[in-house]
Amino acid sequence: QDVKKLQGTSYKYFMLPQEEFTAELTQAIKNTGKSPVVYTVNKIQDMDKLYDMGIRIFMSDDVPLVIDRLKGKKAQNHTH
């Protein structure tokens, strides 16, 4: 994926399925000023892995799971 093409565009997000995200790709997307969006995350383990890569926007078939997990992550960040 050549994410450098995103720079200078009006797009705000770069969306891919979870299987395609790596830490390097996530950082490259962020370096263009865009936000990575991942789909479809339905397992806590997958979400944690992607969250640790720096992804904060998730699409899921289980929205309550994502909301609860993000609230937990936010609470953890405030206690450290």
Side-chain angles (χ1 to χ4, degrees):
Q1 307 268 351
D2 188 5
V3 297
K4 291 178 187 172
K5 293 178 184 177
L6 291 172
Q7 238 159 344
T9 68
S10 61
Y11 298 110
K12 294 180 181 181
Y13 305 100
F14 188 83
M15 184 167 41
L16 285 173
Q18 66 176 348
E19 299 81 19
E20 295 191 31
F21 272 103
T22 63
E24 294 80 17
L25 177 59
T26 301
Q27 190 57 53
I29 293 166
K30 287 182 166 195
N31 288 344
T32 68
K34 311 305 177 189
S35 297
V37 178
V38 62
Y39 65 92
T40 301
V41 183
N42 293 319
K43 295 179 183 175
I44 288 176
Q45 308 91 302
D46 295 337
M47 188 175 169
D48 286 347
K49 177 182 167 191
L50 294 159
Y51 188 93
D52 290 345
M53 283 186 218
I55 297 171
R56 298 298 183 266
I57 304 173
F58 299 86
M59 295 178 73
S60 177
D61 295 324
D62 191 348
V63 174
L65 171 92
V66 173
I67 291 171
D68 288 346
R69 198 60 172 180
L70 287 176
K71 283 181 182 176
K73 291 286 189 185
K74 189 174 182 180
Q76 281 179 352
N77 289 337
H78 285 11
T79 59
H80 291 133

